[in-house]
Amino acid sequence: MDDLLTFFASATARPVHGEVAGFGTALAEAHPGTLAVLAYGSALRDSSPRETLIDFYLLVDERQHLSANPLLCWLGERLPPNVYYAERAIASATLRSKYALMTLDSFMRWSSAGTSNPYLWARFAQPSRLVWVKDDVTRQRVLSALSTAARTAFGHGRFLSPGAPWEGLFANTYRTELRPESAGRAAQIVAADQAYYEELSRLLKGTAPIASSWSAKRILGKLWSIARLAKAAFTFQGGADYAAWKIERHSGVKIEVTPWQRRHPFLAGLILLPKLLRRRGLS
């Protein structure tokens, strides 16, 4: 095992809150074909997972396990990931999760330098935990994908900002999605796991800059985000409310969801999109 794989083997095995690990295991056991479960995001940093929406990625063996709906299986491979919602009762509390489903093959492909969209490789260059895995062969495949994601992300970061590659990468990645974060947000993320990024930078110091058009990424990324939100309306319980919350959170544009829109989330999205664009909700 090379140094980068060793790094991710250690990083993904770091302790995680027991309730997060338990929830991830329950999801794995509930979904046929699950090969691995990754936890990431705020649940790794917050002291209580009861106060946040826990983010998981479930990696499955075949496309048929992405949904019971054949169309969503097809879209899940071409417009990944499929996003779902789950709750789990723990004593007197309820844990809430947003989990994404992808095939492991697709996860590996979208982590590579051959994928121009930063959606996956920028996310999984950041800290994550492997909270459940089927076997050691799968573990090695996941670690390989994470290593590839980090190398791809760092190469783009060196092109964008040679002196601060991670900050440069994350700042530009936000601009490809529906999230006009504050100018200092990227630096805050790096500072929160400073030792992690310092060691990763050391291991990746020989990585060549990857030149590409980030203007094109911003345009295509926003369109991609819109399409994924429309798909989430069918897979995410309370999908219309989730889409409205997501847009408000990342754009500042508040959308009131009506009962009709909750019954017809996809049509509602098509109707509201022009208004959202006029109000610069996707800037």
Side-chain angles (χ1 to χ4, degrees):
M1 185 182 293
D2 67 24
D3 290 346
L4 191 57
L5 286 172
T6 300
F7 170 83
F8 276 106
S10 175
T12 57
R14 290 175 58 192
V16 66
H17 196 291
E19 292 178 354
V20 174
F23 204 156
T25 299
L27 288 173
E29 293 172 346
H31 281 272
T34 300
L35 296 175
V37 180
L38 285 161
Y40 71 103
S42 60
L44 302 185
R45 299 185 297 269
D46 295 345
S47 58
S48 174
R50 303 181 185 194
E51 300 172 359
T52 187
L53 194 65
I54 306 170
D55 288 302
F56 292 108
Y57 257 69
L58 269 66
L59 305 177
V60 298
D61 53 0
E62 298 179 5
R63 187 176 77 179
Q64 70 188 55
H65 291 134
L66 296 177
S67 173
N69 183 317
L71 176 59
L72 289 177
C73 285
W74 184 83
L75 287 172
E77 284 286 86
R78 288 156 181 80
L79 193 68
N82 283 358
V83 180
Y84 299 87
Y85 176 80
E87 294 183 352
R88 186 167 189 251
I90 300 290
S92 60
T94 298
L95 301 182
R96 295 173 174 82
S97 165
K98 173 169 64 71
Y99 68 96
L101 275 180
M102 288 183 76
T103 63
L104 179 54
D105 287 344
S106 183
F107 184 80
M108 296 182 75
R109 184 169 61 253
W110 278 75
S111 300
S112 72
T115 301
S116 62
N117 191 316
Y119 179 82
L120 200 74
W121 42 257
R123 270 173 175 72
F124 283 97
Q126 299 177 49
S128 63
R129 303 287 189 275
L130 193 53
V131 297
W132 187 93
V133 64
K134 181 180 179 180
D135 52 40
D136 193 57
V137 171
T138 301
R139 184 188 305 275
Q140 295 308 311
R141 293 184 70 195
V142 173
L143 296 179
S144 177
L146 296 177
S147 298
T148 300
R151 195 179 301 279
T152 301
F154 193 68
H156 282 283
R158 292 197 69 184
F159 168 73
L160 290 163
S161 178
W166 296 115
E167 290 90 334
L169 171 72
F170 297 143
N172 279 276
T173 299
Y174 289 144
R175 297 175 68 190
T176 69
E177 299 185 24
L178 306 180
R179 49 167 68 197
E181 301 278 6
S182 64
R185 177 58 176 160
Q188 291 173 2
I189 288 179
V190 175
D193 291 284
Q194 186 173 352
Y196 172 93
Y197 291 108
E198 287 178 350
E199 180 61 11
L200 202 49
S201 297
R202 185 187 69 79
L203 293 169
L204 294 169
K205 63 182 179 182
T207 302
I210 300 174
S212 62
S213 171
W214 281 80
S215 296
K217 281 181 172 58
R218 285 193 289 273
I219 295 170
L220 294 175
K222 290 185 191 305
L223 294 174
W224 185 268
S225 294
I226 294 168
R228 285 191 299 100
L229 279 171
K231 180 161 64 74
F234 293 99
T235 63
F236 200 91
Q237 179 180 320
D241 294 279
Y242 166 71
W245 169 79
K246 185 80 168 179
I247 291 169
E248 181 179 1
R249 181 186 178 193
H250 292 312
S251 72
V253 176
K254 184 174 179 60
I255 294 182
E256 298 293 339
V257 180
T258 67
W260 182 89
Q261 290 165 351
R262 290 190 176 94
R263 292 194 302 273
H264 306 89
F266 185 72
L267 293 176
L270 294 177
I271 293 170
L272 291 168
L273 180 58
K275 181 187 296 186
L276 187 62
L277 290 170
R278 285 197 301 272
R279 294 169 64 180
R280 298 184 180 182
L282 303 179
S283 62

